[in-house]
């Protein structure tokens, strides 16, 4: 069945631009595999998308007064690719790539009392999924299932001259690198009513449980070696990344108009801590997060055969419970698409502005917890913001 430009617009994933700015919040949430392509009628679809996020949130309280008023988040990108093909009239399959989770923290000089300089990680998700379609009443029911492999890359850099009180010279770095690979699955149901251009869906993504091996490279004198040399010690990290369940709905409400909404629950309470064990120490990064919700609503309007746009609002619940600094986020998203003319395919573009609520730690009681690089003080932040820019290209035939 041939659908209108409005329906194609809505189901090609334009509505998800509203989530761009919120990619900074929700614990470590970033990209989501584009299963929307499974609902497009063309025999073949390929989509490329890139988001760039510029977060800015500053310390209002810190044990090091020089860090008050400095931003501790780094700029990052979220790539996404989806390729879909129709196997038959009732079976569609796709392959996807995105960075599903990530975190980038960078501290300005002078450093934290722990000596931490930076802590960054991301997970590359490679997935495949299929949708089996059945006619049911006036609509079409799709049963969706697939799997993914998630590859974790983590790096933490610490200046050991600070926590050792000068026993090691400035620039004596400890570099922790971990890599891990885990497998998971996603499953869902969707029901479409073509006459009113509506779709209602529920999608589940499974948890991943990491045992991530790696190395901790330290100055040799720290383990009795000669000055000027380094030693790579074996390290083993462990932690969990959450399962999630998302409900989504969209429907045409008038000629050229479509509304959409979604609610996503993410099981962030599964992430209690990141534990790293080496021959000389055990390092524990405490999170103790609570589960989070992401709520989005918006509207799409078809201005012409070539141009359509959307506006949306997203609330992302903060997950912190006093152990770190992840508060609520509100995001206003604007997006559009251009298609037709002399250039084949469809161009998508968007921008998001996020308000990051101020948040404070309460659990450390200004006491040192051995092995926890963030302990010894309670920090707090002012309200901040994040700007997200996005561009993408879709080819269909």
């Amino acid at each position: 069945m041939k659908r209108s430009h409005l329906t194609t617009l809505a189901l090609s994933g334009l509505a998800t631009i509203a989530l761009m700015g919120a990619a900074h919040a929700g614990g470590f949430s970033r990209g989501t595999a584009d299963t929307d392509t499974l609902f497009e009628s063309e025999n073949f679809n390929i989509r490329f998308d890139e988001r760039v996020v510029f977060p800015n949130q500053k310390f209002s309280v810190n044990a090091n007064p020089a860090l008050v008023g400095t931003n501790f988040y780094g700029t990052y990108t979220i790539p996404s690719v989806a390729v879909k093909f129709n196997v038959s009239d009732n079976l569609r399959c796709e392959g996807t790539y995105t960075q599903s989770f990530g975190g980038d923290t960078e501290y300005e000089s002078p450093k934290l009392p722990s000596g931490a300089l930076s802590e960054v990680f991301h997970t590359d998700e490679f997935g495949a999924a299929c949708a089996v379609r059945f006619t049911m009443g006036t609509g079409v029911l799709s049963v969706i299932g697939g799997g993914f492999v998630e590859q974790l890359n983590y790096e933490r850099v610490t200046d050991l001259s600070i926590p050792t009180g000068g026993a090691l010279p400035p620039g004596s770095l400890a570099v922790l690198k971990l890599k891990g690979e885990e497998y998971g699955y996603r499953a869902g149901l969707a029901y479409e009513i073509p006459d009113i251009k509506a779709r209602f869906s529920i999608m589940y993504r499974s948890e991943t449980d990491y045992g991530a091996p790696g190395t901790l490279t330290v100055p040799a004198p720290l383990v009795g070696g000669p000055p000027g040399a380094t030693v790579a010690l074996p390290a083993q990290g462990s932690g969990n990344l959450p399962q999630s369940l998302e409900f989504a709905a969209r429907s045409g409400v008038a000629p050229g108009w479509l509304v959409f909404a979604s609610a996503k629950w993410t099981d962030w309470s599964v992430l209690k801590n990141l534990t790293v064990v080496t021959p000389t120490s055990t390092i524990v990064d405490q999170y103790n997060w609570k589960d989070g919700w992401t709520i989005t609503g918006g509207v799409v309007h078809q201005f012409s055969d070539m141009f359509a746009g959307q506006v949306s609002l997203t609330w992302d619940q903060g997950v912190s419970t006093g152990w770190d600094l992840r508060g609520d986020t509100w995001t206003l998203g604007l997006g559009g698409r251009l298609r037709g003319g002399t250039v084949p395919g469809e161009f998508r573009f968007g921008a998001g502005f996020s308000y990051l609520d101020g948040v404070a730690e309460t659990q450390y009681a200004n006491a040192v917890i051995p092995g926890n690089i963030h302990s010894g003080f309670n920090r707090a932040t002012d309200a901040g913001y994040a700007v997200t820019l996005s561009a993408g290209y879709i080819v269909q035939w």
Side-chain angles (χ1 to χ4, degrees):
M1 178 181 296
K2 185 66 175 179
R3 293 173 291 180
S4 69
H5 288 313
L6 174 62
T7 310
T8 302
L9 164 69
L11 300 187
S12 66
L14 179 62
T16 61
I17 290 179
L19 299 178
M20 293 187 316
H24 174 69
F28 293 132
S29 292
R30 287 197 173 174
T32 301
D34 183 11
T35 55
D36 280 349
T37 60
L38 292 170
F39 302 100
E40 298 178 3
S41 60
E42 291 79 10
N43 289 324
F44 182 82
N45 300 71
I46 182 168
R47 181 188 63 79
F48 304 92
D49 185 76
E50 186 84 11
R51 303 176 189 180
V52 184
V53 185
F54 306 89
N56 189 295
Q57 190 161 29
K58 299 177 180 180
F59 287 117
S60 59
V61 176
N62 196 288
N64 185 344
L67 285 175
V68 174
T70 64
N71 176 39
F72 54 94
Y73 285 125
T75 298
Y76 58 90
T77 62
I78 308 173
S80 182
V81 179
V83 179
K84 187 271 301 187
F85 59 93
N86 293 353
V87 180
S88 67
D89 290 342
N90 298 317
L91 178 61
R92 300 170 180 178
C93 293
E94 69 169 0
T96 59
Y97 164 73
T98 191
Q99 288 186 357
S100 47
F101 300 104
D104 292 70
T105 305
E106 301 174 0
Y107 301 105
E108 295 186 14
S109 181
K111 288 76 178 176
L112 294 175
S114 65
L117 301 178
S118 64
E119 187 175 11
V120 299
F121 89 97
H122 72 267
T123 59
D124 293 303
E125 181 198 296
F126 301 88
C130 290
V132 181
R133 297 163 57 83
F134 305 91
T135 299
M136 180 177 290
T138 59
V140 178
L141 176 69
S142 294
V143 179
I144 303 164
F148 61 86
V149 57
E150 191 175 72
Q151 298 174 345
L152 178 143
N153 294 275
Y154 176 93
E155 180 176 308
R156 176 191 293 165
V157 180
T158 303
D159 186 344
L160 294 177
S161 67
I162 296 173
T164 60
L168 293 173
S172 300
L173 301 182
V175 180
L176 172 65
K177 293 184 178 182
L178 303 174
K179 289 184 178 291
E181 183 173 282
E182 287 296 323
Y183 298 87
Y185 67 93
R186 53 174 45 90
L189 294 171
Y191 187 69
E192 299 170 87
I193 307 174
D195 289 347
I196 59 172
K197 301 175 176 59
R199 188 174 89 222
F200 309 92
S201 64
I202 180 172
M203 185 69 69
Y204 172 79
R205 183 187 188 276
S206 67
E207 174 187 336
T208 48
D209 182 6
Y210 278 94
T215 59
L216 175 65
T217 302
V218 298
L222 194 65
V223 291
T230 59
V231 175
L233 304 174
Q236 181 71 33
S238 60
N240 302 78
L241 289 172
Q243 62 183 333
S244 62
L245 185 66
E246 182 171 16
F247 307 87
R250 58 191 68 179
S251 178
V253 292
W257 291 90
L258 181 141
V259 296
F260 62 91
S262 66
K264 182 178 182 179
W265 166 79
T266 306
D267 183 23
W268 282 115
S269 60
V270 75
L271 182 59
K272 303 298 184 184
N273 53 61
L274 169 66
T275 301
V276 180
V277 178
T278 74
T280 60
S281 64
T282 296
I283 304 169
V284 180
D285 221 351
Q286 295 278 57
Y287 297 103
N288 296 317
W289 282 344
K290 63 183 179 181
D291 293 351
W293 283 91
T294 303
I295 310 295
T296 296
V299 60
V300 181
H301 180 53
Q302 184 82 35
F303 292 94
S304 68
D305 287 343
M306 291 186 62
F307 177 71
Q310 70 125 79
V311 62
S312 62
L313 184 66
T314 297
W315 169 66
D316 198 293
Q317 182 184 28
V319 295
S320 293
T321 60
W323 294 88
D324 68 351
L325 303 169
R326 292 279 175 168
D328 286 8
T329 299
W330 291 87
T331 299
L332 176 66
L334 299 172
R337 73 104 171 104
L338 287 170
R339 64 185 308 172
T342 58
V343 179
E346 175 179 307
F347 291 96
R348 299 192 305 172
F349 49 89
F353 182 83
S354 299
Y355 170 83
L356 312 179
D357 200 10
V359 64
E361 294 173 337
T362 60
Q363 298 298 320
Y364 296 109
N366 297 316
V368 173
I369 301 175
N372 189 328
I373 67 168
H374 294 310
S375 69
F377 50 89
N378 282 312
R379 304 172 299 172
T381 71
D382 292 320
Y385 66 89
V387 175
T388 305
L389 302 177
S390 175
Y393 182 66
I394 301 172
V395 178
Q396 303 167 326
W397 66 81

PDB file of all heavy atoms in Angstrom, residues 303-326:
ATOM      1  N   PHE A 303       4.445  20.953   5.387  1.00  0.00           N
ATOM      2  CA  PHE A 303       4.257  22.284   4.815  1.00  0.00           C
ATOM      3  C   PHE A 303       4.097  22.238   3.299  1.00  0.00           C
ATOM      4  O   PHE A 303       3.389  23.053   2.722  1.00  0.00           O
ATOM      5  CB  PHE A 303       5.433  23.183   5.201  1.00  0.00           C
ATOM      6  CG  PHE A 303       5.481  23.504   6.666  1.00  0.00           C
ATOM      7  CD1 PHE A 303       6.247  22.742   7.540  1.00  0.00           C
ATOM      8  CD2 PHE A 303       4.743  24.558   7.185  1.00  0.00           C
ATOM      9  CE1 PHE A 303       6.292  23.035   8.899  1.00  0.00           C
ATOM     10  CE2 PHE A 303       4.778  24.862   8.541  1.00  0.00           C
ATOM     11  CZ  PHE A 303       5.558  24.094   9.391  1.00  0.00           C
ATOM     12  N   SER A 304       4.800  21.302   2.655  1.00  0.00           N
ATOM     13  CA  SER A 304       4.719  21.160   1.204  1.00  0.00           C
ATOM     14  C   SER A 304       5.189  19.760   0.849  1.00  0.00           C
ATOM     15  O   SER A 304       5.602  18.983   1.719  1.00  0.00           O
ATOM     16  CB  SER A 304       5.600  22.199   0.503  1.00  0.00           C
ATOM     17  OG  SER A 304       6.976  21.936   0.747  1.00  0.00           O
ATOM     18  N   ASP A 305       5.140  19.419  -0.453  1.00  0.00           N
ATOM     19  CA  ASP A 305       5.636  18.110  -0.869  1.00  0.00           C
ATOM     20  C   ASP A 305       7.114  17.937  -0.558  1.00  0.00           C
ATOM     21  O   ASP A 305       7.592  16.817  -0.358  1.00  0.00           O
ATOM     22  CB  ASP A 305       5.419  17.918  -2.372  1.00  0.00           C
ATOM     23  CG  ASP A 305       3.952  17.684  -2.700  1.00  0.00           C
ATOM     24  OD1 ASP A 305       3.185  17.357  -1.777  1.00  0.00           O
ATOM     25  OD2 ASP A 305       3.591  17.842  -3.877  1.00  0.00           O
ATOM     26  N   MET A 306       7.861  19.046  -0.482  1.00  0.00           N
ATOM     27  CA  MET A 306       9.307  18.969  -0.263  1.00  0.00           C
ATOM     28  C   MET A 306       9.707  19.118   1.197  1.00  0.00           C
ATOM     29  O   MET A 306      10.716  18.569   1.620  1.00  0.00           O
ATOM     30  CB  MET A 306      10.030  20.038  -1.091  1.00  0.00           C
ATOM     31  CG  MET A 306       9.999  19.814  -2.586  1.00  0.00           C
ATOM     32  SD  MET A 306      11.014  21.029  -3.467  1.00  0.00           S
ATOM     33  CE  MET A 306      12.643  20.692  -2.811  1.00  0.00           C
ATOM     34  N   PHE A 307       8.929  19.855   1.985  1.00  0.00           N
ATOM     35  CA  PHE A 307       9.387  20.206   3.324  1.00  0.00           C
ATOM     36  C   PHE A 307       8.339  19.863   4.380  1.00  0.00           C
ATOM     37  O   PHE A 307       7.146  20.112   4.208  1.00  0.00           O
ATOM     38  CB  PHE A 307       9.701  21.693   3.422  1.00  0.00           C
ATOM     39  CG  PHE A 307      10.102  22.125   4.811  1.00  0.00           C
ATOM     40  CD1 PHE A 307      11.322  21.747   5.346  1.00  0.00           C
ATOM     41  CD2 PHE A 307       9.223  22.870   5.592  1.00  0.00           C
ATOM     42  CE1 PHE A 307      11.673  22.130   6.632  1.00  0.00           C
ATOM     43  CE2 PHE A 307       9.570  23.255   6.884  1.00  0.00           C
ATOM     44  CZ  PHE A 307      10.795  22.881   7.398  1.00  0.00           C
ATOM     45  N   ALA A 308       8.808  19.259   5.481  1.00  0.00           N
ATOM     46  CA  ALA A 308       7.985  19.025   6.663  1.00  0.00           C
ATOM     47  C   ALA A 308       8.836  19.309   7.895  1.00  0.00           C
ATOM     48  O   ALA A 308      10.067  19.189   7.869  1.00  0.00           O
ATOM     49  CB  ALA A 308       7.462  17.601   6.690  1.00  0.00           C
ATOM     50  N   GLY A 309       8.186  19.704   8.973  1.00  0.00           N
ATOM     51  CA  GLY A 309       8.919  20.026  10.196  1.00  0.00           C
ATOM     52  C   GLY A 309       8.204  19.512  11.420  1.00  0.00           C
ATOM     53  O   GLY A 309       7.050  19.067  11.363  1.00  0.00           O
ATOM     54  N   GLN A 310       8.882  19.551  12.540  1.00  0.00           N
ATOM     55  CA  GLN A 310       8.316  19.073  13.790  1.00  0.00           C
ATOM     56  C   GLN A 310       8.836  19.877  14.964  1.00  0.00           C
ATOM     57  O   GLN A 310       9.909  20.505  14.896  1.00  0.00           O
ATOM     58  CB  GLN A 310       8.638  17.607  14.002  1.00  0.00           C
ATOM     59  CG  GLN A 310      10.113  17.336  14.292  1.00  0.00           C
ATOM     60  CD  GLN A 310      10.336  16.565  15.577  1.00  0.00           C
ATOM     61  OE1 GLN A 310      10.170  15.376  15.595  1.00  0.00           O
ATOM     62  NE2 GLN A 310      10.709  17.248  16.629  1.00  0.00           N
ATOM     63  N   VAL A 311       8.074  19.859  16.049  1.00  0.00           N
ATOM     64  CA  VAL A 311       8.495  20.442  17.313  1.00  0.00           C
ATOM     65  C   VAL A 311       8.111  19.459  18.415  1.00  0.00           C
ATOM     66  O   VAL A 311       7.101  18.751  18.301  1.00  0.00           O
ATOM     67  CB  VAL A 311       7.850  21.826  17.545  1.00  0.00           C
ATOM     68  CG1 VAL A 311       6.321  21.706  17.615  1.00  0.00           C
ATOM     69  CG2 VAL A 311       8.400  22.477  18.803  1.00  0.00           C
ATOM     70  N   SER A 312       8.932  19.370  19.445  1.00  0.00           N
ATOM     71  CA  SER A 312       8.671  18.385  20.500  1.00  0.00           C
ATOM     72  C   SER A 312       9.238  18.868  21.820  1.00  0.00           C
ATOM     73  O   SER A 312      10.065  19.778  21.876  1.00  0.00           O
ATOM     74  CB  SER A 312       9.305  17.042  20.139  1.00  0.00           C
ATOM     75  OG  SER A 312      10.712  17.191  20.049  1.00  0.00           O
ATOM     76  N   LEU A 313       8.775  18.239  22.880  1.00  0.00           N
ATOM     77  CA  LEU A 313       9.269  18.503  24.225  1.00  0.00           C
ATOM     78  C   LEU A 313       9.519  17.170  24.911  1.00  0.00           C
ATOM     79  O   LEU A 313       8.671  16.270  24.871  1.00  0.00           O
ATOM     80  CB  LEU A 313       8.262  19.332  25.023  1.00  0.00           C
ATOM     81  CG  LEU A 313       8.707  19.748  26.432  1.00  0.00           C
ATOM     82  CD1 LEU A 313       9.902  20.712  26.349  1.00  0.00           C
ATOM     83  CD2 LEU A 313       7.552  20.404  27.190  1.00  0.00           C
ATOM     84  N   THR A 314      10.690  17.039  25.547  1.00  0.00           N
ATOM     85  CA  THR A 314      11.076  15.798  26.231  1.00  0.00           C
ATOM     86  C   THR A 314      11.470  16.098  27.673  1.00  0.00           C
ATOM     87  O   THR A 314      12.211  17.048  27.936  1.00  0.00           O
ATOM     88  CB  THR A 314      12.264  15.126  25.517  1.00  0.00           C
ATOM     89  OG1 THR A 314      11.880  14.756  24.206  1.00  0.00           O
ATOM     90  CG2 THR A 314      12.722  13.883  26.269  1.00  0.00           C
ATOM     91  N   TRP A 315      10.967  15.296  28.584  1.00  0.00           N
ATOM     92  CA  TRP A 315      11.421  15.324  29.978  1.00  0.00           C
ATOM     93  C   TRP A 315      12.142  14.021  30.251  1.00  0.00           C
ATOM     94  O   TRP A 315      11.623  12.937  30.017  1.00  0.00           O
ATOM     95  CB  TRP A 315      10.249  15.457  30.940  1.00  0.00           C
ATOM     96  CG  TRP A 315      10.639  15.234  32.387  1.00  0.00           C
ATOM     97  CD1 TRP A 315      11.463  16.006  33.150  1.00  0.00           C
ATOM     98  CD2 TRP A 315      10.235  14.140  33.219  1.00  0.00           C
ATOM     99  NE1 TRP A 315      11.586  15.472  34.419  1.00  0.00           N
ATOM    100  CE2 TRP A 315      10.844  14.327  34.488  1.00  0.00           C
ATOM    101  CE3 TRP A 315       9.412  13.028  33.020  1.00  0.00           C
ATOM    102  CZ2 TRP A 315      10.659  13.444  35.547  1.00  0.00           C
ATOM    103  CZ3 TRP A 315       9.232  12.139  34.077  1.00  0.00           C
ATOM    104  CH2 TRP A 315       9.842  12.356  35.329  1.00  0.00           C
ATOM    105  N   ASP A 316      13.371  14.137  30.757  1.00  0.00           N
ATOM    106  CA  ASP A 316      14.161  12.964  31.118  1.00  0.00           C
ATOM    107  C   ASP A 316      14.436  13.034  32.615  1.00  0.00           C
ATOM    108  O   ASP A 316      15.087  13.973  33.086  1.00  0.00           O
ATOM    109  CB  ASP A 316      15.466  12.936  30.321  1.00  0.00           C
ATOM    110  CG  ASP A 316      16.100  11.562  30.333  1.00  0.00           C
ATOM    111  OD1 ASP A 316      16.533  11.139  31.415  1.00  0.00           O
ATOM    112  OD2 ASP A 316      16.161  10.926  29.279  1.00  0.00           O
ATOM    113  N   GLN A 317      13.954  12.032  33.332  1.00  0.00           N
ATOM    114  CA  GLN A 317      14.074  12.022  34.782  1.00  0.00           C
ATOM    115  C   GLN A 317      15.510  11.788  35.218  1.00  0.00           C
ATOM    116  O   GLN A 317      16.186  10.882  34.719  1.00  0.00           O
ATOM    117  CB  GLN A 317      13.177  10.934  35.361  1.00  0.00           C
ATOM    118  CG  GLN A 317      13.177  10.861  36.880  1.00  0.00           C
ATOM    119  CD  GLN A 317      12.336   9.702  37.385  1.00  0.00           C
ATOM    120  OE1 GLN A 317      12.175   8.701  36.699  1.00  0.00           O
ATOM    121  NE2 GLN A 317      11.801   9.837  38.582  1.00  0.00           N
ATOM    122  N   GLY A 318      15.981  12.592  36.150  1.00  0.00           N
ATOM    123  CA  GLY A 318      17.296  12.360  36.722  1.00  0.00           C
ATOM    124  C   GLY A 318      17.334  11.058  37.497  1.00  0.00           C
ATOM    125  O   GLY A 318      16.338  10.639  38.088  1.00  0.00           O
ATOM    126  N   VAL A 319      18.496  10.409  37.519  1.00  0.00           N
ATOM    127  CA  VAL A 319      18.607   9.095  38.162  1.00  0.00           C
ATOM    128  C   VAL A 319      19.473   9.113  39.414  1.00  0.00           C
ATOM    129  O   VAL A 319      19.618   8.091  40.093  1.00  0.00           O
ATOM    130  CB  VAL A 319      19.161   8.056  37.157  1.00  0.00           C
ATOM    131  CG1 VAL A 319      18.170   7.856  36.018  1.00  0.00           C
ATOM    132  CG2 VAL A 319      20.525   8.467  36.615  1.00  0.00           C
ATOM    133  N   SER A 320      20.057  10.245  39.756  1.00  0.00           N
ATOM    134  CA  SER A 320      20.946  10.310  40.914  1.00  0.00           C
ATOM    135  C   SER A 320      20.177  10.136  42.216  1.00  0.00           C
ATOM    136  O   SER A 320      19.028  10.577  42.346  1.00  0.00           O
ATOM    137  CB  SER A 320      21.682  11.651  40.944  1.00  0.00           C
ATOM    138  OG  SER A 320      22.581  11.749  39.870  1.00  0.00           O
ATOM    139  N   THR A 321      20.835   9.509  43.174  1.00  0.00           N
ATOM    140  CA  THR A 321      20.270   9.338  44.517  1.00  0.00           C
ATOM    141  C   THR A 321      21.199   9.924  45.576  1.00  0.00           C
ATOM    142  O   THR A 321      21.166   9.506  46.728  1.00  0.00           O
ATOM    143  CB  THR A 321      20.009   7.852  44.804  1.00  0.00           C
ATOM    144  OG1 THR A 321      21.252   7.131  44.711  1.00  0.00           O
ATOM    145  CG2 THR A 321      18.997   7.269  43.844  1.00  0.00           C
ATOM    146  N   GLY A 322      22.030  10.866  45.161  1.00  0.00           N
ATOM    147  CA  GLY A 322      22.940  11.515  46.096  1.00  0.00           C
ATOM    148  C   GLY A 322      24.381  11.083  45.981  1.00  0.00           C
ATOM    149  O   GLY A 322      25.255  11.631  46.657  1.00  0.00           O
ATOM    150  N   TRP A 323      24.673  10.101  45.091  1.00  0.00           N
ATOM    151  CA  TRP A 323      26.034   9.600  44.939  1.00  0.00           C
ATOM    152  C   TRP A 323      26.780  10.276  43.792  1.00  0.00           C
ATOM    153  O   TRP A 323      28.006  10.170  43.724  1.00  0.00           O
ATOM    154  CB  TRP A 323      26.016   8.090  44.714  1.00  0.00           C
ATOM    155  CG  TRP A 323      25.522   7.324  45.903  1.00  0.00           C
ATOM    156  CD1 TRP A 323      24.214   7.008  46.188  1.00  0.00           C
ATOM    157  CD2 TRP A 323      26.291   6.801  46.980  1.00  0.00           C
ATOM    158  NE1 TRP A 323      24.137   6.320  47.366  1.00  0.00           N
ATOM    159  CE2 TRP A 323      25.406   6.170  47.879  1.00  0.00           C
ATOM    160  CE3 TRP A 323      27.662   6.803  47.271  1.00  0.00           C
ATOM    161  CZ2 TRP A 323      25.828   5.548  49.037  1.00  0.00           C
ATOM    162  CZ3 TRP A 323      28.088   6.168  48.439  1.00  0.00           C
ATOM    163  CH2 TRP A 323      27.186   5.565  49.296  1.00  0.00           C
ATOM    164  N   ASP A 324      26.058  10.908  42.872  1.00  0.00           N
ATOM    165  CA  ASP A 324      26.719  11.616  41.773  1.00  0.00           C
ATOM    166  C   ASP A 324      25.782  12.698  41.247  1.00  0.00           C
ATOM    167  O   ASP A 324      24.851  13.116  41.959  1.00  0.00           O
ATOM    168  CB  ASP A 324      27.169  10.647  40.670  1.00  0.00           C
ATOM    169  CG  ASP A 324      25.997  10.013  39.938  1.00  0.00           C
ATOM    170  OD1 ASP A 324      24.841  10.183  40.385  1.00  0.00           O
ATOM    171  OD2 ASP A 324      26.229   9.362  38.907  1.00  0.00           O
ATOM    172  N   LEU A 325      26.005  13.162  40.000  1.00  0.00           N
ATOM    173  CA  LEU A 325      25.397  14.411  39.532  1.00  0.00           C
ATOM    174  C   LEU A 325      24.628  14.205  38.231  1.00  0.00           C
ATOM    175  O   LEU A 325      25.020  14.701  37.174  1.00  0.00           O
ATOM    176  CB  LEU A 325      26.494  15.467  39.340  1.00  0.00           C
ATOM    177  CG  LEU A 325      27.341  15.766  40.577  1.00  0.00           C
ATOM    178  CD1 LEU A 325      28.550  16.622  40.224  1.00  0.00           C
ATOM    179  CD2 LEU A 325      26.497  16.455  41.647  1.00  0.00           C
ATOM    180  N   ARG A 326      23.504  13.490  38.275  1.00  0.00           N
ATOM    181  CA  ARG A 326      22.650  13.283  37.099  1.00  0.00           C
ATOM    182  C   ARG A 326      21.225  13.686  37.446  1.00  0.00           C
ATOM    183  O   ARG A 326      20.451  12.914  37.995  1.00  0.00           O
ATOM    184  CB  ARG A 326      22.692  11.819  36.647  1.00  0.00           C
ATOM    185  CG  ARG A 326      24.039  11.390  36.091  1.00  0.00           C
ATOM    186  CD  ARG A 326      24.201  11.821  34.643  1.00  0.00           C
ATOM    187  NE  ARG A 326      25.538  11.508  34.145  1.00  0.00           N
ATOM    188  CZ  ARG A 326      25.894  11.551  32.874  1.00  0.00           C
ATOM    189  NH1 ARG A 326      25.007  11.917  31.968  1.00  0.00           N
ATOM    190  NH2 ARG A 326      27.130  11.275  32.500  1.00  0.00           N
TER     191      ARG A 326
END
